[in-house]
Amino acid sequence: MSKTDQQHRLATGRLLAYDEHGEADGAPIFYFHGSPSARLEWYLFGTEALAEKLKIRVIVPDRPGLGRSDFQPGRRIGDWPADVIALADHLALTRFAVVGYSGGGPYAAACALKIPERLTHVGIVSGTGPFDEPGLSAAINPSNLRFIELSRTTPWLSRMMLRLMGVIVKRWPSRFITEAMAGLPATDQAVLARPDFQRAFVALIKEGLRSGPRGAQLDSALMASPWDFRPQEIQVAVHLWHGEADANAPLAMGQYLATNIPNCRASFYPGEGHLSLMAKHVEEILNVLAA
């Protein structure tokens, strides 16, 4: 059923892009990508064959300003559920699951809080926690942390660096991969060493920066800023999967979410990193969300 490069015009006139994978009548799951990224992130971990095997319908939207979705000035994480509802209504989906990977985790949490009546399951995989909480970001690679924080503190410089990243990934993709490898644990390096994973990774970064750097800069700034909602107020169950060797969203972030989301069903994986957890356990995770 794979349908790619689709767009839905919201009531405000803004375009929201999305892809669909799997069975047309399968259990619907919205997948929220990381940051900076785009809907093509699905290809890092999933395939059409897997979605069909599990009898699921995976909907992967681009957040505003990323991929083919229009930019939304001044947006907050808590604005995202309204876009999700609009797209679900367009697709005639009454109830559905949501899962957020990495920087998509806070957006899944926002949906859990704001639209619980529409959700069958909520999942967070290798999710980032609030960067303003003491100690949560301390274990992130210092150069990566500076890059993320720059999006919040010095937006113009962040956009310039993201534009440079876009040039590098287009002209020298092997250099981009080498730089991305730096600071990753061995378990993640082994995943990123796979040629198929490298091709998908390069493609999603190109797509995320398709319209320029301002969408990616704002998305990263929101990730690094205080959340505009309290995870402690989430009432529905949230499934959480987190690798204990994660260098991008450190273990402390997963532990914070597990402690502060009241009905959190957390699974921690010794030795798994930011990429390897999803790469190895994607079928297990999707099975939970499709149940």
Side-chain angles (χ1 to χ4, degrees):
M1 188 208 72
S2 181
K3 296 180 181 178
T4 61
D5 299 338
Q6 300 181 89
Q7 289 179 308
H8 171 57
R9 190 171 296 279
L10 302 170
T12 59
R14 182 164 46 86
L15 286 173
L16 187 68
Y18 65 101
D19 285 353
E20 294 182 82
H21 305 279
E23 301 281 352
D25 59 350
I29 301 172
F30 279 75
Y31 176 100
F32 304 151
H33 59 72
S35 181
S37 189
R39 68 195 184 285
L40 300 188
E41 185 178 290
W42 164 254
Y43 297 111
L44 281 183
F45 307 114
T47 63
E48 199 66 26
L50 176 62
E52 291 173 357
K53 172 187 174 183
L54 300 180
K55 294 180 168 51
I56 58 177
R57 179 183 182 182
V58 182
I59 303 104
V60 195
D62 285 332
R63 285 195 294 279
L66 296 162
R68 294 177 181 270
S69 285
D70 287 346
F71 186 71
Q72 182 184 8
R75 72 177 175 92
R76 303 296 303 275
I77 294 172
D79 297 328
W80 181 240
D83 282 5
V84 174
I85 289 295
L87 182 54
D89 288 348
H90 170 66
L91 297 173
L93 298 173
T94 304
R95 302 192 73 220
F96 47 88
V98 298
V99 60
Y101 170 74
S102 186
Y107 295 88
C111 287
L113 177 63
K114 296 198 169 191
I115 54 170
E117 71 284 354
R118 299 292 296 267
L119 304 181
T120 55
H121 295 288
V122 180
I124 297 175
V125 185
S126 306
T128 55
F131 275 62
D132 60 313
E133 288 290 333
L136 294 196
S137 61
I140 296 177
N141 177 284
S143 61
N144 290 345
L145 182 58
R146 284 194 297 272
F147 181 76
I148 294 168
E149 291 286 1
L150 204 62
S151 66
R152 178 179 59 84
T153 61
T154 318
W156 69 268
L157 185 55
S158 172
R159 290 192 291 269
M160 187 173 73
M161 293 184 69
L162 284 162
R163 193 178 298 279
L164 178 60
M165 176 194 290
V167 171
I168 292 172
V169 78
K170 286 179 181 177
R171 296 187 180 181
W172 305 287
S174 59
R175 174 184 165 186
F176 172 75
I177 293 294
T178 299
E179 292 177 356
M181 284 264 199
L184 290 178
T187 187
D188 280 345
Q189 289 184 351
V191 174
L192 191 50
R194 288 167 28 197
D196 62 322
F197 200 92
Q198 290 182 11
R199 287 191 294 271
F201 190 45
V202 165
L204 74 85
I205 296 296
K206 286 181 180 178
E207 184 64 16
L209 296 170
R210 160 187 287 273
S211 299
R214 67 174 181 167
Q217 175 266 314
L218 179 55
D219 204 61
S220 295
L222 291 173
M223 183 175 68
S225 300
W227 292 2
D228 57 324
F229 64 95
R230 286 170 43 81
Q232 295 87 348
E233 296 175 359
I234 295 171
Q235 297 299 310
V236 296
V238 175
H239 298 274
L240 182 142
W241 296 268
H242 210 99
E244 295 185 2
D246 196 321
N248 294 66
L251 177 59
M253 289 188 170
Q255 291 172 330
Y256 172 88
L257 296 173
T259 300
N260 285 277
I261 295 175
N263 190 8
C264 187
R265 302 170 183 179
S267 299
F268 293 97
Y269 294 74
E272 297 297 357
H274 198 65
L275 303 176
S276 68
L277 171 62
M278 190 64 154
K280 294 178 183 178
H281 297 278
V282 61
E283 184 169 349
E284 167 194 337
I285 291 166
L286 292 174
N287 263 322
V288 170
L289 298 170

